[in-house]
Amino acid sequence: MDIKEIKKDGLVKEFKITIKNSHIEKSIESKIKELTPKANLPGFRPGKVPFSILKARFGKQVFSEVANESINEASKKIIDDYKINAASQPNIEVKKIEHGEDIIAEFKVEVIPNFKVPDLSKLKLIKEVAIIDNKQVDEAIQRISDENTKTEKV
């Protein structure tokens, strides 16, 4: 598994994930070997189905399962290794996925920025006080009164 950081500017980080075909094939073989004792196909005794037949029959399903697990494992490794504090759900875009070839994917995630909280004890606050005289109060009351007068038909 090869992980390269493509972009690390700003709040978005991007990575390129390359999962080698050899790793995928080993995982597929181990999964199929786990299935062998439980396999029950017509024409074979339970647990005695040949490996090649299981691989031919279930290879695509096991490949997709292994590919999904490998990409999830790579994304967890990125988050752990690069100590990413994600602000949103990561976006994983698979660029190339074919049986017998390397899997290539892009991992994009928005991160929460690191910032330092300033010492608030040194901050000085000034309380502003508005001075209102009686004339301004009377004018405000008169204006509100004029706006709310009742009209009558003549």
Side-chain angles (χ1 to χ4, degrees):
M1 185 178 325
D2 185 31
I3 298 171
K4 292 181 184 175
E5 190 169 9
I6 299 172
K7 180 182 173 187
K8 59 181 174 180
D9 298 341
L11 299 178
V12 177
K13 294 192 182 254
E14 293 183 28
F15 299 88
K16 180 180 179 183
I17 302 170
T18 305
I19 303 169
K20 301 290 181 194
N21 184 42
S22 58
H23 172 74
I24 295 167
E25 289 299 325
K26 286 178 188 176
S27 297
I28 289 173
E29 286 181 16
S30 67
K31 288 263 187 198
I32 291 176
K33 285 179 184 176
E34 288 176 16
L35 289 175
T36 304
K38 304 173 203 168
N40 188 8
L41 292 177
F44 297 98
R45 290 180 291 161
K48 301 296 180 182
V49 180
F51 178 81
S52 59
I53 293 175
L54 284 175
K55 189 171 183 177
R57 183 107 184 236
F58 300 111
K60 289 181 181 179
Q61 293 171 340
V62 173
F63 171 74
S64 62
E65 185 179 317
V66 166
N68 191 22
E69 287 175 0
S70 299
I71 290 172
N72 288 338
E73 180 183 318
S75 65
K76 287 178 186 174
K77 183 173 173 55
I78 289 171
I79 290 173
D80 292 340
D81 290 352
Y82 290 90
K83 296 181 176 97
I84 292 177
N85 190 6
S88 63
Q89 185 72 23
N91 181 17
I92 302 170
E93 184 179 341
V94 178
K95 295 291 185 180
K96 179 179 160 189
I97 183 167
E98 291 183 28
H99 190 54
E101 295 185 22
D102 295 346
I103 295 175
I104 298 172
E106 282 187 1
F107 179 89
K108 295 179 186 176
V109 65
E110 288 184 27
V111 296
I112 297 174
N114 293 330
F115 58 91
K116 206 173 198 180
V117 178
D119 185 15
L120 300 177
S121 64
K122 297 177 182 177
L123 202 65
K124 293 182 181 179
L125 299 176
I126 299 171
K127 184 176 180 182
E128 296 290 333
V129 178
I131 300 171
I132 303 171
D133 60 355
N134 289 335
K135 182 181 175 186
Q136 291 173 325
V137 173
D138 291 339
E139 289 174 359
I141 291 173
Q142 185 62 40
R143 187 182 71 244
I144 293 170
S145 171
D146 291 341
E147 290 173 359
N148 294 314
T149 58
K150 294 182 182 179
T151 59
E152 294 179 13
K153 289 186 179 181
V154 179

